[in-house]
């Protein structure tokens, strides 16, 4: 059984994940920047380029049976483009991965939240494993499956570590956003209260001015009537 410290760490991790992964990514430039900085750049660093190159463009051209093993094809290029749509730098982008796999020619959609982004990143490697696992021990030197699976074995731990760091940074960002949202709502309420106070004062002054004007008119009319009667 786990000790109290391990149980506490697990509880904190569950609480953090409950807050972080459903957090909004669409049109959230700070969140998109964190995804690019902590995950995408990590996967495409110079030292990992020889492994990542297997997943940057679609790699299944000429494999007509790919759709029998993979229902949702993707590639690093697609993930990067979807983040670009989230950051409003791109729009109406073709899903090249699906088209090249012969599955569909749908448009790429932005990520709604961090969980969808993380699932898409993991799909890079689960797709590769689903299609190539049967060729892991092939003796055919022209079959790239063993090399691709070796790249998966290298990159999967790197991705999980990057997503872990993303969850920590995102937890702090979401906390800041909540504080700022509360501050903005409180400021808005204070401004509304101040505006309401000014409105009440203005209405009171207008009412006083109206009464004075009516009293002045009444006095003038009374004086005019008295003068005519004389």
């Amino acid at each position: 059984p786990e000790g109290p410290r391990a149980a506490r760490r697990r509880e904190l991790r569950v609480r953090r994940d409950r807050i972080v992964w459903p957090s909004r990514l669409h049109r959230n430039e700070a969140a998109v920047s964190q995804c690019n900085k902590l995950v995408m750049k990590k996967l495409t660093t110079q030292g990992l380029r020889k492994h990542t190159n297997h997943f940057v463009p679609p790699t299944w051209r000429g494999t007509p049976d790919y759709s029998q093993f993979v229902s949702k094809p993707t590639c690093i290029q697609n993930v990067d483009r979807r983040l670009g749509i989230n950051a409003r730098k791109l729009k109406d982008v073709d899903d090249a991965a699906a088209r090249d796999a012969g599955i569909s020619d749908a448009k790429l959609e932005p990520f709604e939240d961090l969980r969808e982004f993380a699932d898409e990143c993991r799909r890079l490697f689960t797709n590769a494993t689903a299609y190539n696992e049967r060729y892991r021990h092939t003796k055919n030197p022209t079959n790239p499956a063993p090399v691709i699976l070796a790249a998966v074995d290298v990159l999967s731990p790197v991705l999980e570590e990057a997503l872990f760091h993303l969850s920590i940074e995102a937890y702090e960002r979401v906390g800041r956003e909540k504080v700022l949202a509360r501050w903005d709502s409180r400021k808005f309420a204070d401004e509304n209260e101040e505006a309401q106070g000014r409105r009440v004062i203005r209405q009171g002054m207008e009412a006083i001015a109206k009464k004075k004007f009516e009293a002045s008119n009444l006095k003038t009319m009374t004086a005019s009537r008295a003068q005519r009667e004389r």
Side-chain angles (χ1 to χ4, degrees), residues 24 40 49 70-71 85 106 119 140-141 143 150 170 184-185 202 209 228:
R24 185 175 59 88
M40 302 307 292
R49 195 71 57 80
V70 174
S71 60
I85 298 172
D119 290 344
N140 183 355
N143 192 327
D184 287 342
S185 62
R202 186 174 65 251
R228 285 197 301 270

Side-chain angles (χ1 to χ4, degrees), residues 22-119:
S23 63
R24 185 175 59 88
L25 186 57
H26 187 41
R27 295 185 178 179
N28 188 331
E29 293 187 8
V32 172
S33 177
Q34 285 183 335
C35 292
N36 278 319
K37 177 183 176 182
L38 298 174
V39 179
M40 302 307 292
K41 285 188 177 180
K42 183 70 174 178
L43 288 175
T44 56
T45 54
Q46 188 66 35
L48 297 173
R49 195 71 57 80
K50 65 178 182 179
H51 302 295
T52 310
N53 283 342
H54 296 291
F55 307 95
V56 174
T59 56
W60 45 83
R61 293 185 179 93
T63 53
D65 62 339
Y66 189 80
S67 59
Q68 298 176 16
F69 296 86
V70 174
S71 60
K72 293 182 178 180
T74 188
C75 59
I76 288 181
Q77 195 176 62
N78 268 18
V79 177
D80 191 53
R81 286 175 175 175
R82 291 183 70 181
L83 285 176
I85 298 172
N86 278 109
R88 290 179 283 190
K89 295 179 180 178
L90 297 172
K91 62 179 180 179
D92 297 331
V93 180
D94 288 332
D95 188 345
R99 186 184 64 244
D100 290 341
I103 294 176
S104 74
D105 57 353
K107 300 290 184 181
L108 288 176
E109 297 292 335
F111 296 113
E112 288 298 327
D113 52 37
L114 281 181
R115 179 180 286 115
E116 188 177 355
F117 166 73
D119 290 344

Side-chain angles (χ1 to χ4, degrees), residues 124-188:
L124 292 167
F125 307 134
T126 56
N127 284 356
T129 301
Y131 183 77
N132 293 287
E133 183 62 36
R134 56 195 169 136
Y135 299 122
R136 182 179 287 274
H137 303 293
T138 182
K139 302 299 183 182
N140 183 355
T142 62
N143 192 327
V147 178
I148 294 175
L149 292 173
V152 170
D153 294 339
V154 171
L155 293 175
S156 290
V158 175
L159 173 63
E160 294 304 323
E161 181 182 2
L163 291 175
F164 173 73
H165 289 299
L166 174 64
S167 69
I168 295 175
E169 294 283 341
Y171 183 69
E172 296 178 356
R173 175 183 52 77
V174 171
R176 289 193 301 269
E177 289 175 351
K178 288 183 177 180
V179 170
L180 290 174
R182 284 197 298 267
W183 185 83
D184 287 342
S185 62
R186 191 180 304 119
K187 181 181 178 183
F188 181 73

